[in-house]
C-alpha cells in the first residue's frame, strides 16, 4: 500500500490507540499527531517544497514528531545519527545541500547557507536521506522515500496492536527507522529509551510491556550476557545489521522458546531485502531461483550477493552498484553451503594478509564454536612485512581457563581455516564494545 505522507497514513488509524511510551508517560496516536501539528506548526509553515531540512541530535520522541510534521511538506529530510562528530555532520549536511537545520531542543528552522536548488511548484514525495552505518570508512548518503522505507511494513492493525516494540537502534539510522515505522504504521506501540546508553536502553524495556524487540546480533549477545532481557515475555525477536550465525539463533531460541525469531537481510542501500524465520543461519539456496525467492537474488562471480527489490533507494551510490539487469551489488560476500546460502562478511571489512583476503566474520564463526567463548571480535593488526595480520579479542564465559581456550582456538582455526586466516594474536578481554549502530567496530590496531 502506497501512502502519500506519514501524517496522512497515521491520521486514518484509530487515534485512541496507545502509541509511544516515554519517560514522560504514554502517548496515544492522537497525542503524537497533535504534538507533531502544534509543536512544529511554525517551522512547517516557514518551510517550502524546496526546503531540505537536517535533523541533528533530536531525542526519539522529538524526531518522530518532526518527521511526521515535515514529510510531504519539504523536498528532503536528512537524518544525522547521534554518534557522528561535528565535522562529519557538517560535511553530510553540505553534501545533502540542506537549507535548514534543527538541533536538539529546537523547534524552529535555522537557515543554512543558501543552496542553488530549483524551485518546486507542487509537493512530491519527500526524500528521506540516511547515512550508511558500516563499521569502516566514511558514511555515504542514501535517498529513500516513505514508500521505499515502508515497503515491507506489515499493516495488520489487529496483530500489530498486540505488540509493544522496544527501541534499541538509533532512529536516525535505517534499522531504527524500520522499527519506528513498523510500530507506527503496523498499529503497534513503541517504547522509547531516555538515551542510547545501554543501561537506559535496558531500563526502558521494563517501563512498558515490551514483547517485541529488534537488535543486531552483537547487541543480542550483549543483552543475553547481561541477562535481564530474559525476563521479558518476548513474542517477536528480530535480528539485522550483521550476520545472524547459528550460535546466536540457538541462544535466543533457548532463552525465548515461544518467540518468533526472524533475521532480516536489510541495509541502508538495499532497503529491506528478505526475512528468514526457519531458525537456520543464512537463507534457502532455492531462493536463488526467482520464482521461489521473496525478491530476485543472485550471486556474482566474486561471491557478492545481488538483490533486485521492487522499490530501491536512489542516488549516485546506488547507481554505481547496479548492473545492466537492475540488480544491486550489496557488497556482502556469501557462499552456498549445502541447501543454504550463508553470509561470510562485508567486502569493505576484509583483512589483507600479504595479498590474501580474510573475512573477519568467517573467522569469528569458527572461533565461536569453541566451548567457553562468550564473544569474539576479529580485526586487522598492522605488520611491516605482510601489511596486516589477523588479531582476535575474546571474552570468556565464567569458569573457563584462558590458556586451555587459547589452545583450542588455535587447534580449530588451523584445522578449518587457511594459514593466513588463523589469528596471529589472541587477546582475552572483559568486554567487546559495539558502536551506536549496534555493530562491532573493526578498526586496525
Amino acid at each position: 500500500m502506497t501512502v502519500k505522507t506519514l501524517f496522512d497514513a497515521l491520521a486514518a488509524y484509530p487515534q485512541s490507540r496507545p502509541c509511544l511510551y516515554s519517560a514522560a508517560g504514554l502517548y496515544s496516536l492522537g497525542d503524537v499527531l497533535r504534538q507533531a501539528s502544534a509543536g512544529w506548526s511554525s517551522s512547517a509553515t516557514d518551510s517550502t517544497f524546496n526546503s531540505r531540512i537536517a535533523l541533528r541530535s533530536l531525542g526519539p520522541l522529538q524526531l518522530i514528531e518532526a518527521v511526521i510534521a515535515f514529510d510531504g511538506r519539504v523536498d528532503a529530510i536528512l537524518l544525522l545519527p547521534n554518534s557522528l562528530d561535528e565535522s562529519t555532520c557538517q560535511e553530510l549536511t553540505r553534501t545533502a545541500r540542506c537549507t535548514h537545520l534543527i538541533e536538539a531542543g529546537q523547534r524552529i528552522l535555522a537557515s543554512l547557507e543558501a543552496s542553488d536548488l530549483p524551485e518546486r511548484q507542487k509537493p512530491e514525495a519527500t526524500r528521506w536521506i540516511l547515512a550508511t552505518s558500516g563499521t569502516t570508512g566514511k558514511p555515504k548518503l542514501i535517498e529513500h522515500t516513505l514508500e521505499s522505507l515502508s515497503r515491507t511494513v506489515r499493516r495488520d492493525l489487529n496483530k500489530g496492536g498486540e505488540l509493544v516494540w522496544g527501541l534499541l537502534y538509533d532512529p536516525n539510522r535505517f534499522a531504527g527507522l524500520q522499527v519506528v515505522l513498523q510500530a507506527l504504521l503496523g498499529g503497534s506501540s513503541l517504547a522509547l529509551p531516555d538515551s542510547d546508553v545501554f543501561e537506559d536502553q535496558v531500563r526502558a524495556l521494563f517501563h512498558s510491556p515490551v514483547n517485541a524487540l529488534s537488535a543486531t546480533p552483537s547487541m543480542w549477545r550483549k543483552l543475553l550476557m547481561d541477562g535481564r532481557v530474559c525476563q521479558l515475555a518476548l513474542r517477536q525477536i528480530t535480528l539485522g545489521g550483521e550476520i545472524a550465525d547459528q550460535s546466536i539463533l540457538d541462544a535466543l531460541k533457548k532463552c525465548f522458546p515461544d518467540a518468533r525469531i526472524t533475521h532480516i537481510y536489510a541495509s541502508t542501500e538495499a532497503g529491506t531485502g528478505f526475512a528468514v524465520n526457519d531458525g537456520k543461519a543464512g537463507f534457502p539456496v532455492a531462493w536463488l531461483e526467482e520464482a521461489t525467492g521473496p525478491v530476485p537474488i543472485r550471486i556474482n562471480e566474486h561471491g557478492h550477493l545481488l538483490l533486485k527489490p521492487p522499490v530501491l533507494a536512489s542516488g549516485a551510490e546506488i547507481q554505481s552498484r547496479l548492473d545492466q539487469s537492475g540488480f544491486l551489488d550489496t557488497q556482502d560476500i556469501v557462499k552456498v553451503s549445502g541447501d543454504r546460502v550463508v553470509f561470510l562478511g562485508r567486502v569493505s571489512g576484509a583483512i589483507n594478509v600479504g595479498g590474501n583476503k580474510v573475512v573477519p566474520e568467517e573467522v569469528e564463526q569458527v572461533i565461536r564454536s569453541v566451548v567457553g567463548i562468550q564473544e569474539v571480535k576479529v580485526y586487522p593488526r598492522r605488520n611491516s612485512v605482510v601489511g596486516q595480520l589477523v588479531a582476535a579479542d575474546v571474552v570468556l564465559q565464567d569458569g573457563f581457563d584462558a590458556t586451555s581456550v587459547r589452545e583450542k582456538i588455535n587447534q580449530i582455526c588451523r584445522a578449518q581455516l587457511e594459514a593466513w586466516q588463523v589469528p596471529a594474536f589472541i587477546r582475552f578481554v572483559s568486554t567487546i564494545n559495539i558502536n551506536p549502530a549496534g555493530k562491532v567496530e573493526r578498526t586496525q590496531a
Side-chain angles (χ1 to χ4, degrees):
M1 181 178 73
T2 301
V3 296
K4 184 177 180 181
T5 71
L6 185 54
F7 186 97
D8 290 342
L10 296 175
Y13 289 1
Q15 301 297 286
S16 61
R17 75 169 172 88
C19 186
L20 299 178
Y21 291 88
S22 77
L26 172 62
Y27 296 85
S28 69
L29 177 59
D31 293 333
V32 175
L33 294 183
R34 282 189 291 273
Q35 289 188 194
S37 297
W40 297 92
S41 59
S42 177
S43 289
T45 301
D46 291 342
S47 64
T48 70
F49 299 139
N50 194 50
S51 299
R52 294 187 179 186
I53 299 175
L55 303 179
R56 182 183 178 192
S57 301
L58 273 61
L61 180 58
Q62 191 178 18
L63 177 72
I64 290 170
E65 292 175 5
V67 295
I68 291 174
F70 288 110
D71 181 48
R73 288 181 172 270
V74 298
D75 178 41
I77 302 171
L78 170 64
L79 303 182
L80 293 169
N82 296 329
S83 59
L84 297 183
D85 57 46
E86 177 70 26
S87 62
T88 302
C89 284
Q90 291 182 358
E91 181 181 349
L92 294 180
T93 300
R94 287 192 298 268
T95 301
R97 302 169 72 191
C98 289
T99 60
H100 299 84
L101 171 68
I102 296 178
E103 296 188 274
Q106 299 177 348
R107 289 184 179 272
I108 58 174
L109 295 175
S111 295
L112 301 174
E113 183 177 344
S115 300
D116 183 20
L117 296 173
E119 288 291 340
R120 294 170 57 201
Q121 300 302 317
K122 61 180 181 179
E124 297 175 2
T126 294
R127 285 172 284 178
W128 298 48
I129 306 177
L130 308 179
T132 57
S133 57
T135 57
T136 59
K138 292 184 179 180
K140 300 179 178 65
L141 295 179
I142 307 297
E143 295 185 1
H144 281 274
T145 62
L146 182 59
E147 181 183 5
S148 65
L149 288 170
S150 61
R151 178 178 60 84
T152 58
V153 167
R154 296 179 297 278
R155 295 179 174 86
D156 186 329
L157 299 187
N158 291 326
K159 291 184 178 179
E162 299 173 357
L163 297 179
V164 179
W165 286 89
L167 183 62
L168 294 175
Y169 290 108
D170 181 350
N172 293 282
R173 296 186 181 275
F174 179 82
L177 202 53
Q178 288 293 291
V179 176
V180 169
L181 292 176
Q182 178 58 58
L184 292 178
L185 295 173
S188 304
S189 304
L190 179 65
L192 306 176
D194 294 335
S195 75
D196 58 7
V197 175
F198 180 73
E199 187 62 33
D200 288 339
Q201 292 175 316
V202 173
R203 188 181 299 114
L205 301 179
F206 293 91
H207 286 172
S208 56
V210 168
N211 58 12
L213 203 53
S214 179
T216 62
S218 290
M219 176 59 88
W220 275 114
R221 292 188 185 96
K222 187 172 182 177
L223 289 166
L224 292 177
M225 191 185 309
D226 174 82
R228 285 173 289 177
V229 71
C230 294
Q231 301 172 31
L232 296 175
L234 295 183
R235 298 174 54 180
Q236 174 64 54
I237 290 173
T238 303
L239 303 90
E242 295 176 311
I243 297 172
D245 62 22
Q246 199 61 51
S247 65
I248 187 60
L249 294 174
D250 291 344
L252 288 170
K253 187 63 178 177
K254 181 178 180 181
C255 188
F256 304 101
D258 298 324
R260 182 174 185 262
I261 299 176
T262 303
H263 53 106
I264 293 178
Y265 179 81
S267 67
T268 310
E269 301 94 329
T272 300
F274 52 83
V276 183
N277 299 296
D278 61 8
K280 299 178 182 179
F283 61 89
V285 70
W287 286 5
L288 295 176
E289 302 174 13
E290 292 188 18
T292 60
V295 295
I297 304 172
R298 293 179 182 174
I299 302 174
N300 71 10
E301 66 273 18
H302 305 295
H304 297 190
L305 181 70
L306 308 183
L307 294 180
K308 192 176 182 180
V311 181
L312 262 178
S314 60
E317 175 67 19
I318 298 297
Q319 292 301 314
S320 69
R321 295 196 196 175
L322 293 177
D323 66 12
Q324 293 182 345
S325 300
F327 278 79
L328 177 72
D329 186 344
T330 67
Q331 302 287 291
D332 282 306
I333 306 171
V334 297
K335 72 174 181 180
V336 175
S337 179
D339 63 350
R340 305 293 286 187
V341 177
V342 295
F343 289 86
L344 301 181
R346 295 284 293 171
V347 172
S348 59
I351 302 170
N352 190 339
V353 182
N356 296 299
K357 299 295 184 181
V358 179
V359 181
E361 294 91 339
E362 185 176 10
V363 179
E364 288 172 356
Q365 290 185 47
V366 173
I367 295 176
R368 282 199 188 98
S369 66
V370 175
V371 176
I373 291 178
Q374 182 73 51
E375 181 61 298
V376 59
K377 178 182 77 171
V378 171
Y379 58 97
R381 183 164 175 173
R382 293 183 183 87
N383 182 268
S384 59
V385 178
V386 296
Q388 293 178 325
L389 290 172
V390 180
D393 286 353
V394 176
V395 179
L396 285 176
Q397 295 178 9
D398 293 340
F400 285 85
D401 175 67
T403 301
S404 61
V405 171
R406 183 191 300 271
E407 182 178 344
K408 291 176 182 176
I409 291 173
N410 285 326
Q411 288 176 350
I412 195 168
C413 286
R414 288 170 183 153
Q416 297 187 21
L417 300 171
E418 300 291 346
W420 59 81
Q421 295 175 296
V422 177
F425 305 94
I426 299 175
R427 181 176 66 168
F428 291 92
V429 297
S430 60
T431 187
I432 291 174
N433 293 327
I434 59 178
N435 65 21
K439 301 179 182 181
V440 171
E441 288 188 327
R442 307 177 194 279
T443 53
Q444 180 170 262

